[in-house]
Amino acid sequence: MEKTLLLTISYDGRPFSGWQRQPSRRTVQGELEEALSEILRRPVKVDGCSRTDAGVHALGQCASFSGEIKIPTENLAYALNNRLPGSIRIVECEEKPAGFHARFNSRGKTYLYRITTGPMKDPFRRDHVYHVTRPLDTERMRVAAGLIEGKHDFACFQAAGGQPRQTTVRTIYRLEVEERPWAPFSDMGLIGSAPAAGEAGRGSAGGESCGEEPAAAGREIRLHVTGDGFLYNMVRIITGTLVDVGEGKLAPEDIPAILAGGDRTRAGHTAPARGLYLARIYY
Amino acid sequence: MEKTLLLTISYDGRPFSGWQRQPSRRTVQGELEEALSEILRRPVKVDGCSRTDAGVHALGQCASFSGEIKIPTENLAYALNNRLPGSIRIVECEEKPAGFHARFNSRGKTYLYRITTGPMKDPFRRDHVYHVTRPLDTERMRVAAGLIEGKHDFACFQAAGGQPRQTTVRTIYRLEVEERPWAPFSDMGLIGSAPAAGEAGRGSAGGESCGEEPAAAGREIRLHVTGDGFLYNMVRIITGTLVDVGEGKLAPEDIPAILAGGDRTRAGHTAPARGLYLARIYY
């Protein structure tokens, strides 16, 4: 029967040249359409909500498609996950009313950006966070974030090369700077385990979480950005700007003038793709 | 001046064909020796404590070497980290007495093995944990673990293909089964963030940690194994055996007979390399 389906998709962006289908390149959309075409035994194209760049990750990308779909909706996610590479997972598959479109029906999105600070970066996170060796003043970053929230002309945070826009005015509903202590391997949860009673283990190598403070302690900072729409590289440029504020290269008080000037060169650097996650889309 | 140094090394095992240098293959030892040779401007060979297999990770591998080392010890880790790929990090570099050897001086090691359970695996962890879709009975696993701890002939947990051993008797000081709730992306720490007051966000896609229970909830299980020495694939076979117990394919009460029989085919399956981490070496 004729159905319209919405897929929620997570992916590790590292192995791909972005979301959007391209000839001769491995893309998330390409892999998804290939798997769907095999299952449904006809060519299938999907409409993705957001075109994530090469190296950008997703927890909740959305894509819609419609047509004759003979497989029960509740089996499709399972069938797709059996065919897709392990770097792409279908989180959810839902039926939607005829005419539903993943991009046109979207009301807003949340992005997550992950940063770690400290003398040593975690090798397991090298393609999934932005590691900064200098400490960041998150209080100043929060002041700057408060000045970025709201409805503004965000032209100063737009990179060249995106689609021409009728307007660069957008609304950032929320820009949150979350921070916690962090050290490499702190998510491994090692239990202190000396080989024999009374004999101490060797140093604190490996980030033991029980008792000893790891030698290479730093911070993990997460930016949560929710808005009604985003210009090209806007979250990465906002992130780079906040990092520049955290490092003292820019002041929070500079933000209103940067916004008013509409000039990309007055804002901060563009943070790398690898720390960015499309977290959630709102319908 | 003539020095003996001990390096503590962490690495993501995925891009490499294991620790041990091999012609025509990318290995951790190969990359480390190349970087050291560049810095010290002479050929350098290191002695690693453990030969981790392809795909096995390390948080605290150790390697020693000696000779004329003109660079100050406290600068060497930094110089190495500038040259090594991001998948390998020097955690520590210490001077040791002449004659110190990373393998011969070692008194024991701890390995960590990471397992997740649930209907959907985390794409970001696909090369770093062993994902099992069926739930595991960790209470039964703990009973079995208690019967594996201690001094035993572990021939039943030894794979073919390793070095011939004078004796297969070893002591496992500790075999701990740690468990916690888990869902894909639960380490991302998403804050619930609906776009406007009073409007609910869309479902629970993406594993929100604030308020809503994620739809695809499972468990994370960590095995911590500390022993005086390990046979070939011993930790992975013990892990597979415990997973078989957790799935009900084996019973905890089977363990003493499996140990006594010394027969690999009576023990469980070999868990994959990607979930294994050499956590710490004791001197």
mmCIF file of all heavy atoms in Angstrom, chain B residues 72-117:
data_model
loop_
_atom_site.group_PDB
_atom_site.id
_atom_site.type_symbol
_atom_site.label_atom_id
_atom_site.label_comp_id
_atom_site.label_asym_id
_atom_site.label_seq_id
_atom_site.Cartn_x
_atom_site.Cartn_y
_atom_site.Cartn_z
ATOM 1 N N PRO B 72 65.572 15.544 26.881
ATOM 2 C CA PRO B 72 65.143 15.359 28.276
ATOM 3 C C PRO B 72 63.920 14.443 28.341
ATOM 4 O O PRO B 72 63.005 14.555 27.528
ATOM 5 C CB PRO B 72 64.776 16.777 28.733
ATOM 6 C CG PRO B 72 65.488 17.687 27.789
ATOM 7 C CD PRO B 72 65.589 16.960 26.482
ATOM 8 N N THR B 73 63.915 13.576 29.339
ATOM 9 C CA THR B 73 62.841 12.587 29.483
ATOM 10 C C THR B 73 61.470 13.256 29.500
ATOM 11 O O THR B 73 60.519 12.738 28.913
ATOM 12 C CB THR B 73 63.053 11.771 30.776
ATOM 13 O OG1 THR B 73 64.334 11.142 30.700
ATOM 14 C CG2 THR B 73 61.974 10.713 30.945
ATOM 15 N N GLU B 74 61.381 14.412 30.157
ATOM 16 C CA GLU B 74 60.072 15.051 30.310
ATOM 17 C C GLU B 74 59.560 15.658 29.003
ATOM 18 O O GLU B 74 58.400 16.038 28.925
ATOM 19 C CB GLU B 74 60.103 16.130 31.413
ATOM 20 C CG GLU B 74 61.083 17.252 31.191
ATOM 21 C CD GLU B 74 62.472 16.961 31.748
ATOM 22 O OE1 GLU B 74 62.797 15.770 31.999
ATOM 23 O OE2 GLU B 74 63.241 17.912 31.929
ATOM 24 N N ASN B 75 60.387 15.747 27.983
ATOM 25 C CA ASN B 75 59.942 16.276 26.696
ATOM 26 C C ASN B 75 59.583 15.184 25.699
ATOM 27 O O ASN B 75 59.010 15.466 24.643
ATOM 28 C CB ASN B 75 61.051 17.132 26.059
ATOM 29 C CG ASN B 75 61.333 18.376 26.869
ATOM 30 O OD1 ASN B 75 60.607 18.700 27.810
ATOM 31 N ND2 ASN B 75 62.396 19.081 26.517
ATOM 32 N N LEU B 76 59.966 13.953 26.007
ATOM 33 C CA LEU B 76 59.855 12.916 24.979
ATOM 34 C C LEU B 76 58.406 12.561 24.655
ATOM 35 O O LEU B 76 58.064 12.378 23.486
ATOM 36 C CB LEU B 76 60.629 11.657 25.410
ATOM 37 C CG LEU B 76 60.729 10.562 24.346
ATOM 38 C CD1 LEU B 76 61.349 11.081 23.045
ATOM 39 C CD2 LEU B 76 61.549 9.384 24.882
ATOM 40 N N ALA B 77 57.537 12.497 25.683
ATOM 41 C CA ALA B 77 56.137 12.150 25.414
ATOM 42 C C ALA B 77 55.510 13.191 24.484
ATOM 43 O O ALA B 77 54.804 12.853 23.528
ATOM 44 C CB ALA B 77 55.351 12.056 26.724
ATOM 45 N N TYR B 78 55.794 14.447 24.759
ATOM 46 C CA TYR B 78 55.248 15.532 23.941
ATOM 47 C C TYR B 78 55.758 15.433 22.502
ATOM 48 O O TYR B 78 54.999 15.547 21.545
ATOM 49 C CB TYR B 78 55.655 16.867 24.572
ATOM 50 C CG TYR B 78 55.111 18.061 23.864
ATOM 51 C CD1 TYR B 78 53.794 18.491 24.066
ATOM 52 C CD2 TYR B 78 55.913 18.785 22.965
ATOM 53 C CE1 TYR B 78 53.297 19.596 23.408
ATOM 54 C CE2 TYR B 78 55.422 19.894 22.310
ATOM 55 C CZ TYR B 78 54.116 20.297 22.532
ATOM 56 O OH TYR B 78 53.623 21.394 21.876
ATOM 57 N N ALA B 79 57.075 15.187 22.359
ATOM 58 C CA ALA B 79 57.653 15.075 21.014
ATOM 59 C C ALA B 79 57.056 13.890 20.267
ATOM 60 O O ALA B 79 56.759 13.961 19.068
ATOM 61 C CB ALA B 79 59.172 14.929 21.120
ATOM 62 N N LEU B 80 56.859 12.783 20.959
ATOM 63 C CA LEU B 80 56.250 11.606 20.322
ATOM 64 C C LEU B 80 54.813 11.893 19.909
ATOM 65 O O LEU B 80 54.407 11.574 18.792
ATOM 66 C CB LEU B 80 56.300 10.406 21.267
ATOM 67 C CG LEU B 80 57.638 9.677 21.327
ATOM 68 C CD1 LEU B 80 57.681 8.731 22.527
ATOM 69 C CD2 LEU B 80 57.907 8.904 20.040
ATOM 70 N N ASN B 81 54.043 12.497 20.808
ATOM 71 C CA ASN B 81 52.633 12.752 20.488
ATOM 72 C C ASN B 81 52.487 13.711 19.312
ATOM 73 O O ASN B 81 51.488 13.665 18.597
ATOM 74 C CB ASN B 81 51.866 13.242 21.713
ATOM 75 C CG ASN B 81 51.529 12.090 22.672
ATOM 76 O OD1 ASN B 81 51.426 10.934 22.262
ATOM 77 N ND2 ASN B 81 51.381 12.397 23.945
ATOM 78 N N ASN B 82 53.479 14.561 19.093
ATOM 79 C CA ASN B 82 53.434 15.441 17.924
ATOM 80 C C ASN B 82 53.646 14.687 16.622
ATOM 81 O O ASN B 82 53.228 15.136 15.561
ATOM 82 C CB ASN B 82 54.503 16.535 18.042
ATOM 83 C CG ASN B 82 54.004 17.704 18.855
ATOM 84 O OD1 ASN B 82 52.794 17.841 19.075
ATOM 85 N ND2 ASN B 82 54.914 18.552 19.294
ATOM 86 N N ARG B 83 54.318 13.547 16.702
ATOM 87 C CA ARG B 83 54.623 12.780 15.490
ATOM 88 C C ARG B 83 53.692 11.602 15.256
ATOM 89 O O ARG B 83 53.473 11.178 14.122
ATOM 90 C CB ARG B 83 56.047 12.209 15.577
ATOM 91 C CG ARG B 83 57.090 13.169 15.142
ATOM 92 C CD ARG B 83 58.446 12.505 15.190
ATOM 93 N NE ARG B 83 59.424 13.326 14.504
ATOM 94 C CZ ARG B 83 59.865 14.494 14.934
ATOM 95 N NH1 ARG B 83 59.407 14.979 16.081
ATOM 96 N NH2 ARG B 83 60.749 15.183 14.227
ATOM 97 N N LEU B 84 53.189 11.023 16.333
ATOM 98 C CA LEU B 84 52.371 9.819 16.193
ATOM 99 C C LEU B 84 51.003 10.161 15.619
ATOM 100 O O LEU B 84 50.502 11.271 15.804
ATOM 101 C CB LEU B 84 52.202 9.163 17.570
ATOM 102 C CG LEU B 84 53.450 8.479 18.120
ATOM 103 C CD1 LEU B 84 53.272 8.208 19.614
ATOM 104 C CD2 LEU B 84 53.735 7.181 17.372
ATOM 105 N N PRO B 85 50.350 9.195 14.953
ATOM 106 C CA PRO B 85 48.956 9.420 14.548
ATOM 107 C C PRO B 85 48.087 9.583 15.793
ATOM 108 O O PRO B 85 48.451 9.114 16.876
ATOM 109 C CB PRO B 85 48.599 8.131 13.790
ATOM 110 C CG PRO B 85 49.564 7.106 14.266
ATOM 111 C CD PRO B 85 50.824 7.833 14.617
ATOM 112 N N GLY B 86 46.961 10.246 15.633
ATOM 113 C CA GLY B 86 46.058 10.522 16.763
ATOM 114 C C GLY B 86 45.505 9.277 17.414
ATOM 115 O O GLY B 86 44.990 9.331 18.531
ATOM 116 N N SER B 87 45.637 8.141 16.737
ATOM 117 C CA SER B 87 45.145 6.872 17.275
ATOM 118 C C SER B 87 46.094 6.281 18.320
ATOM 119 O O SER B 87 45.738 5.308 18.989
ATOM 120 C CB SER B 87 44.964 5.861 16.130
ATOM 121 O OG SER B 87 46.097 5.885 15.279
ATOM 122 N N ILE B 88 47.284 6.843 18.467
ATOM 123 C CA ILE B 88 48.272 6.379 19.447
ATOM 124 C C ILE B 88 48.693 7.583 20.294
ATOM 125 O O ILE B 88 49.058 8.633 19.740
ATOM 126 C CB ILE B 88 49.540 5.802 18.770
ATOM 127 C CG1 ILE B 88 49.181 4.679 17.799
ATOM 128 C CG2 ILE B 88 50.522 5.293 19.836
ATOM 129 C CD1 ILE B 88 50.364 4.180 16.970
ATOM 130 N N ARG B 89 48.647 7.460 21.613
ATOM 131 C CA ARG B 89 49.050 8.540 22.507
ATOM 132 C C ARG B 89 49.995 7.999 23.578
ATOM 133 O O ARG B 89 49.726 6.947 24.169
ATOM 134 C CB ARG B 89 47.834 9.153 23.226
ATOM 135 C CG ARG B 89 46.847 9.888 22.348
ATOM 136 C CD ARG B 89 47.371 11.207 21.836
ATOM 137 N NE ARG B 89 48.004 11.073 20.552
ATOM 138 C CZ ARG B 89 48.618 12.048 19.901
ATOM 139 N NH1 ARG B 89 48.705 13.253 20.424
ATOM 140 N NH2 ARG B 89 49.153 11.833 18.734
ATOM 141 N N ILE B 90 51.077 8.744 23.814
ATOM 142 C CA ILE B 90 51.966 8.402 24.916
ATOM 143 C C ILE B 90 51.370 9.043 26.171
ATOM 144 O O ILE B 90 51.216 10.275 26.225
ATOM 145 C CB ILE B 90 53.387 8.927 24.676
ATOM 146 C CG1 ILE B 90 53.918 8.426 23.330
ATOM 147 C CG2 ILE B 90 54.301 8.531 25.832
ATOM 148 C CD1 ILE B 90 53.986 6.923 23.184
ATOM 149 N N VAL B 91 51.042 8.218 27.148
ATOM 150 C CA VAL B 91 50.441 8.688 28.394
ATOM 151 C C VAL B 91 51.528 9.134 29.368
ATOM 152 O O VAL B 91 51.347 10.092 30.112
ATOM 153 C CB VAL B 91 49.592 7.559 29.021
ATOM 154 C CG1 VAL B 91 48.992 7.990 30.346
ATOM 155 C CG2 VAL B 91 48.502 7.106 28.060
ATOM 156 N N GLU B 92 52.648 8.418 29.350
ATOM 157 C CA GLU B 92 53.697 8.689 30.329
ATOM 158 C C GLU B 92 55.047 8.190 29.809
ATOM 159 O O GLU B 92 55.103 7.231 29.029
ATOM 160 C CB GLU B 92 53.358 7.950 31.633
ATOM 161 C CG GLU B 92 53.988 8.542 32.863
ATOM 162 C CD GLU B 92 53.420 7.958 34.156
ATOM 163 O OE1 GLU B 92 52.352 7.303 34.126
ATOM 164 O OE2 GLU B 92 54.060 8.159 35.194
ATOM 165 N N CYS B 93 56.106 8.845 30.276
ATOM 166 C CA CYS B 93 57.471 8.421 29.919
ATOM 167 C C CYS B 93 58.326 8.572 31.179
ATOM 168 O O CYS B 93 58.440 9.673 31.706
ATOM 169 C CB CYS B 93 58.003 9.313 28.801
ATOM 170 S SG CYS B 93 59.720 8.992 28.395
ATOM 171 N N GLU B 94 58.869 7.475 31.647
ATOM 172 C CA GLU B 94 59.625 7.515 32.908
ATOM 173 C C GLU B 94 60.981 6.851 32.756
ATOM 174 O O GLU B 94 61.105 5.859 32.033
ATOM 175 C CB GLU B 94 58.929 6.694 33.985
ATOM 176 C CG GLU B 94 57.490 6.936 34.249
ATOM 177 C CD GLU B 94 56.919 5.756 35.015
ATOM 178 O OE1 GLU B 94 57.021 5.737 36.268
ATOM 179 O OE2 GLU B 94 56.402 4.831 34.356
ATOM 180 N N GLU B 95 61.924 7.342 33.514
ATOM 181 C CA GLU B 95 63.230 6.681 33.577
ATOM 182 C C GLU B 95 63.159 5.505 34.535
ATOM 183 O O GLU B 95 62.493 5.574 35.569
ATOM 184 C CB GLU B 95 64.306 7.656 34.048
ATOM 185 C CG GLU B 95 64.709 8.623 32.965
ATOM 186 C CD GLU B 95 65.897 9.475 33.346
ATOM 187 O OE1 GLU B 95 66.879 8.915 33.869
ATOM 188 O OE2 GLU B 95 65.824 10.688 33.124
ATOM 189 N N LYS B 96 63.866 4.439 34.153
ATOM 190 C CA LYS B 96 63.907 3.234 34.968
ATOM 191 C C LYS B 96 65.369 2.843 35.169
ATOM 192 O O LYS B 96 66.240 3.308 34.437
ATOM 193 C CB LYS B 96 63.153 2.108 34.252
ATOM 194 C CG LYS B 96 61.639 2.277 34.243
ATOM 195 C CD LYS B 96 61.071 2.290 35.644
ATOM 196 C CE LYS B 96 59.586 2.105 35.687
ATOM 197 N NZ LYS B 96 59.055 2.279 37.049
ATOM 198 N N PRO B 97 65.639 1.984 36.146
ATOM 199 C CA PRO B 97 67.026 1.542 36.332
ATOM 200 C C PRO B 97 67.506 0.731 35.135
ATOM 201 O O PRO B 97 66.712 0.108 34.429
ATOM 202 C CB PRO B 97 66.945 0.638 37.573
ATOM 203 C CG PRO B 97 65.629 0.917 38.212
ATOM 204 C CD PRO B 97 64.712 1.412 37.132
ATOM 205 N N ALA B 98 68.802 0.739 34.918
ATOM 206 C CA ALA B 98 69.399 -0.045 33.831
ATOM 207 C C ALA B 98 68.973 -1.497 33.989
ATOM 208 O O ALA B 98 68.912 -2.027 35.101
ATOM 209 C CB ALA B 98 70.916 0.074 33.884
ATOM 210 N N GLY B 99 68.633 -2.108 32.849
ATOM 211 C CA GLY B 99 68.213 -3.507 32.887
ATOM 212 C C GLY B 99 66.720 -3.701 33.001
ATOM 213 O O GLY B 99 66.227 -4.828 32.862
ATOM 214 N N PHE B 100 65.978 -2.635 33.257
ATOM 215 C CA PHE B 100 64.519 -2.746 33.341
ATOM 216 C C PHE B 100 63.953 -3.149 31.973
ATOM 217 O O PHE B 100 64.374 -2.629 30.941
ATOM 218 C CB PHE B 100 63.915 -1.408 33.782
ATOM 219 C CG PHE B 100 62.432 -1.488 34.058
ATOM 220 C CD1 PHE B 100 61.971 -1.693 35.348
ATOM 221 C CD2 PHE B 100 61.502 -1.359 33.021
ATOM 222 C CE1 PHE B 100 60.596 -1.778 35.607
ATOM 223 C CE2 PHE B 100 60.134 -1.435 33.282
ATOM 224 C CZ PHE B 100 59.691 -1.644 34.572
ATOM 225 N N HIS B 101 62.976 -4.093 32.003
ATOM 226 C CA HIS B 101 62.395 -4.591 30.752
ATOM 227 C C HIS B 101 60.886 -4.657 30.912
ATOM 228 O O HIS B 101 60.381 -5.256 31.877
ATOM 229 C CB HIS B 101 62.961 -5.985 30.459
ATOM 230 C CG HIS B 101 62.647 -6.501 29.089
ATOM 231 N ND1 HIS B 101 61.411 -6.993 28.749
ATOM 232 C CD2 HIS B 101 63.424 -6.581 27.970
ATOM 233 C CE1 HIS B 101 61.429 -7.371 27.465
ATOM 234 N NE2 HIS B 101 62.639 -7.129 26.980
ATOM 235 N N ALA B 102 60.167 -4.046 29.948
ATOM 236 C CA ALA B 102 58.712 -3.917 30.066
ATOM 237 C C ALA B 102 58.015 -5.253 30.240
ATOM 238 O O ALA B 102 57.015 -5.349 30.950
ATOM 239 C CB ALA B 102 58.151 -3.198 28.826
ATOM 240 N N ARG B 103 58.541 -6.310 29.603
ATOM 241 C CA ARG B 103 57.868 -7.602 29.726
ATOM 242 C C ARG B 103 58.404 -8.385 30.921
ATOM 243 O O ARG B 103 57.639 -8.865 31.753
ATOM 244 C CB ARG B 103 58.017 -8.418 28.441
ATOM 245 C CG ARG B 103 57.196 -9.715 28.451
ATOM 246 C CD ARG B 103 57.003 -10.307 27.070
ATOM 247 N NE ARG B 103 58.244 -10.667 26.425
ATOM 248 C CZ ARG B 103 58.822 -9.989 25.428
ATOM 249 N NH1 ARG B 103 58.268 -8.896 24.952
ATOM 250 N NH2 ARG B 103 59.954 -10.408 24.903
ATOM 251 N N PHE B 104 59.712 -8.470 31.075
ATOM 252 C CA PHE B 104 60.271 -9.351 32.101
ATOM 253 C C PHE B 104 60.022 -8.819 33.505
ATOM 254 O O PHE B 104 59.910 -9.589 34.445
ATOM 255 C CB PHE B 104 61.766 -9.573 31.862
ATOM 256 C CG PHE B 104 62.081 -10.132 30.496
ATOM 257 C CD1 PHE B 104 63.236 -9.761 29.823
ATOM 258 C CD2 PHE B 104 61.209 -11.023 29.871
ATOM 259 C CE1 PHE B 104 63.523 -10.277 28.554
ATOM 260 C CE2 PHE B 104 61.476 -11.539 28.604
ATOM 261 C CZ PHE B 104 62.641 -11.173 27.943
ATOM 262 N N ASN B 105 59.935 -7.491 33.639
ATOM 263 C CA ASN B 105 59.688 -6.919 34.965
ATOM 264 C C ASN B 105 58.211 -6.876 35.336
ATOM 265 O O ASN B 105 57.857 -6.510 36.455
ATOM 266 C CB ASN B 105 60.252 -5.497 35.039
ATOM 267 C CG ASN B 105 61.754 -5.479 35.233
ATOM 268 O OD1 ASN B 105 62.503 -5.741 34.303
ATOM 269 N ND2 ASN B 105 62.198 -5.202 36.443
ATOM 270 N N SER B 106 57.347 -7.248 34.427
ATOM 271 C CA SER B 106 55.915 -7.132 34.689
ATOM 272 C C SER B 106 55.459 -8.223 35.657
ATOM 273 O O SER B 106 55.863 -9.381 35.546
ATOM 274 C CB SER B 106 55.157 -7.228 33.354
ATOM 275 O OG SER B 106 53.969 -7.956 33.489
ATOM 276 N N ARG B 107 54.611 -7.847 36.620
ATOM 277 C CA ARG B 107 54.106 -8.792 37.621
ATOM 278 C C ARG B 107 52.655 -9.202 37.347
ATOM 279 O O ARG B 107 52.142 -10.124 37.991
ATOM 280 C CB ARG B 107 54.184 -8.177 39.012
ATOM 281 C CG ARG B 107 55.596 -7.893 39.503
ATOM 282 C CD ARG B 107 55.612 -7.449 40.951
ATOM 283 N NE ARG B 107 54.832 -6.257 41.156
ATOM 284 C CZ ARG B 107 53.646 -6.218 41.771
ATOM 285 N NH1 ARG B 107 53.097 -7.312 42.263
ATOM 286 N NH2 ARG B 107 53.016 -5.066 41.912
ATOM 287 N N GLY B 108 52.013 -8.457 36.455
ATOM 288 C CA GLY B 108 50.611 -8.790 36.190
ATOM 289 C C GLY B 108 49.971 -7.713 35.341
ATOM 290 O O GLY B 108 50.596 -6.685 35.044
ATOM 291 N N LYS B 109 48.743 -7.963 34.920
ATOM 292 C CA LYS B 109 48.029 -7.016 34.065
ATOM 293 C C LYS B 109 46.547 -7.022 34.376
ATOM 294 O O LYS B 109 46.025 -8.025 34.886
ATOM 295 C CB LYS B 109 48.119 -7.417 32.581
ATOM 296 C CG LYS B 109 49.431 -7.880 32.110
ATOM 297 C CD LYS B 109 49.329 -8.433 30.690
ATOM 298 C CE LYS B 109 50.632 -9.100 30.347
ATOM 299 N NZ LYS B 109 50.617 -9.703 29.028
ATOM 300 N N THR B 110 45.906 -5.920 34.005
ATOM 301 C CA THR B 110 44.450 -5.854 34.024
ATOM 302 C C THR B 110 43.955 -5.611 32.606
ATOM 303 O O THR B 110 44.469 -4.735 31.910
ATOM 304 C CB THR B 110 43.942 -4.729 34.941
ATOM 305 O OG1 THR B 110 44.297 -5.020 36.288
ATOM 306 C CG2 THR B 110 42.428 -4.585 34.851
ATOM 307 N N TYR B 111 42.975 -6.391 32.209
ATOM 308 C CA TYR B 111 42.259 -6.164 30.955
ATOM 309 C C TYR B 111 40.843 -5.722 31.300
ATOM 310 O O TYR B 111 40.269 -6.124 32.319
ATOM 311 C CB TYR B 111 42.162 -7.446 30.126
ATOM 312 C CG TYR B 111 43.426 -7.837 29.408
ATOM 313 C CD1 TYR B 111 44.368 -8.672 30.017
ATOM 314 C CD2 TYR B 111 43.678 -7.374 28.120
ATOM 315 C CE1 TYR B 111 45.532 -9.033 29.345
ATOM 316 C CE2 TYR B 111 44.837 -7.744 27.439
ATOM 317 C CZ TYR B 111 45.764 -8.574 28.062
ATOM 318 O OH TYR B 111 46.903 -8.938 27.397
ATOM 319 N N LEU B 112 40.292 -4.931 30.393
ATOM 320 C CA LEU B 112 38.894 -4.512 30.472
ATOM 321 C C LEU B 112 38.214 -5.071 29.233
ATOM 322 O O LEU B 112 38.807 -5.049 28.136
ATOM 323 C CB LEU B 112 38.837 -2.983 30.452
ATOM 324 C CG LEU B 112 37.501 -2.296 30.237
ATOM 325 C CD1 LEU B 112 36.590 -2.500 31.447
ATOM 326 C CD2 LEU B 112 37.707 -0.797 30.011
ATOM 327 N N TYR B 113 36.995 -5.611 29.402
ATOM 328 C CA TYR B 113 36.226 -6.019 28.225
ATOM 329 C C TYR B 113 34.868 -5.351 28.297
ATOM 330 O O TYR B 113 34.190 -5.400 29.311
ATOM 331 C CB TYR B 113 36.064 -7.551 28.126
ATOM 332 C CG TYR B 113 35.665 -7.944 26.724
ATOM 333 C CD1 TYR B 113 36.606 -8.397 25.812
ATOM 334 C CD2 TYR B 113 34.350 -7.764 26.286
ATOM 335 C CE1 TYR B 113 36.253 -8.693 24.501
ATOM 336 C CE2 TYR B 113 33.996 -8.039 24.974
ATOM 337 C CZ TYR B 113 34.954 -8.501 24.086
ATOM 338 O OH TYR B 113 34.607 -8.772 22.787
ATOM 339 N N ARG B 114 34.466 -4.716 27.189
ATOM 340 C CA ARG B 114 33.224 -3.926 27.168
ATOM 341 C C ARG B 114 32.168 -4.576 26.291
ATOM 342 O O ARG B 114 32.425 -4.895 25.131
ATOM 343 C CB ARG B 114 33.502 -2.530 26.608
ATOM 344 C CG ARG B 114 34.516 -1.739 27.392
ATOM 345 C CD ARG B 114 34.668 -0.364 26.817
ATOM 346 N NE ARG B 114 33.577 0.517 27.196
ATOM 347 C CZ ARG B 114 33.450 1.772 26.772
ATOM 348 N NH1 ARG B 114 34.335 2.281 25.951
ATOM 349 N NH2 ARG B 114 32.440 2.511 27.159
ATOM 350 N N ILE B 115 30.990 -4.730 26.886
ATOM 351 C CA ILE B 115 29.847 -5.352 26.208
ATOM 352 C C ILE B 115 28.655 -4.407 26.336
ATOM 353 O O ILE B 115 28.475 -3.794 27.391
ATOM 354 C CB ILE B 115 29.488 -6.695 26.900
ATOM 355 C CG1 ILE B 115 30.666 -7.681 26.811
ATOM 356 C CG2 ILE B 115 28.218 -7.310 26.302
ATOM 357 C CD1 ILE B 115 30.544 -8.846 27.777
ATOM 358 N N THR B 116 27.852 -4.286 25.299
ATOM 359 C CA THR B 116 26.563 -3.607 25.427
ATOM 360 C C THR B 116 25.469 -4.575 24.993
ATOM 361 O O THR B 116 25.701 -5.449 24.154
ATOM 362 C CB THR B 116 26.483 -2.328 24.570
ATOM 363 O OG1 THR B 116 26.852 -2.626 23.220
ATOM 364 C CG2 THR B 116 27.391 -1.241 25.110
ATOM 365 N N THR B 117 24.300 -4.413 25.597
ATOM 366 C CA THR B 117 23.144 -5.221 25.198
ATOM 367 C C THR B 117 21.981 -4.275 24.902
ATOM 368 O O THR B 117 21.907 -3.178 25.463
ATOM 369 C CB THR B 117 22.698 -6.209 26.293
ATOM 370 O OG1 THR B 117 22.132 -5.484 27.399
ATOM 371 C CG2 THR B 117 23.859 -7.044 26.798
#
